Amino acid sequence: MIILNINYILNIIITLFLIGALGLVLNRKNILITLMSIELMLLAINLNFITFSIYLDDITGYIFVLFILTIAATESAIGLAILSVYYKLKQTIQMDKIKN
């Protein structure tokens, strides 16, 4: 079994979180990319909780991950449902049309 240093895993987590944050900051047009960026940030946070839970040998991180995954799944389902209804009404999913 290969044992990795926790710094390598944390660097990957920071990279994933920053990719999600950049997706939110740089994208102002497409709602789907915004939702995917939020999901990527939530999954990076979950990976962080799991990493520290394994490192500290504590179950609290797993419980937080369970709650965050439940909230993320709910957010995705409701967001995509709203998005599909909006697309049926307006025939576009661009954010510029929503702001007006």
Side-chain angles (χ1 to χ4, degrees):
M1 184 170 130
I2 299 173
I3 298 175
L4 294 175
N5 191 358
I6 194 168
N7 291 330
Y8 296 127
I9 298 171
L10 291 178
N11 285 333
I12 293 170
I13 292 169
I14 290 170
T15 305
L16 285 174
F17 189 82
L18 288 178
I19 290 171
L22 283 175
L24 279 177
V25 170
L26 297 178
N27 177 36
R28 295 293 178 182
K29 300 281 183 187
N30 198 346
I31 298 173
L32 287 176
I33 295 176
T34 303
L35 286 174
M36 289 187 329
S37 298
I38 291 171
E39 289 296 321
L40 187 62
M41 290 171 65
L42 285 173
L43 290 175
I45 292 169
N46 282 339
L47 191 57
N48 194 13
F49 276 129
I50 289 173
T51 302
F52 279 112
S53 183
I54 291 170
Y55 183 73
L56 297 174
D57 196 26
D58 190 19
I59 197 167
T60 310
Y62 294 115
I63 295 170
F64 278 120
V65 166
L66 183 66
F67 288 134
I68 291 173
L69 284 176
T70 305
I71 292 170
T74 306
E75 177 255 334
S76 293
I78 292 173
L80 290 175
I82 290 171
L83 186 64
S84 65
V85 169
Y86 183 78
Y87 181 74
K88 283 182 183 179
L89 291 175
K90 302 290 183 177
Q91 299 299 318
T92 185
I93 58 170
Q94 297 295 322
M95 283 185 139
D96 294 336
K97 304 291 182 183
I98 294 174
K99 291 179 184 177
N100 296 332

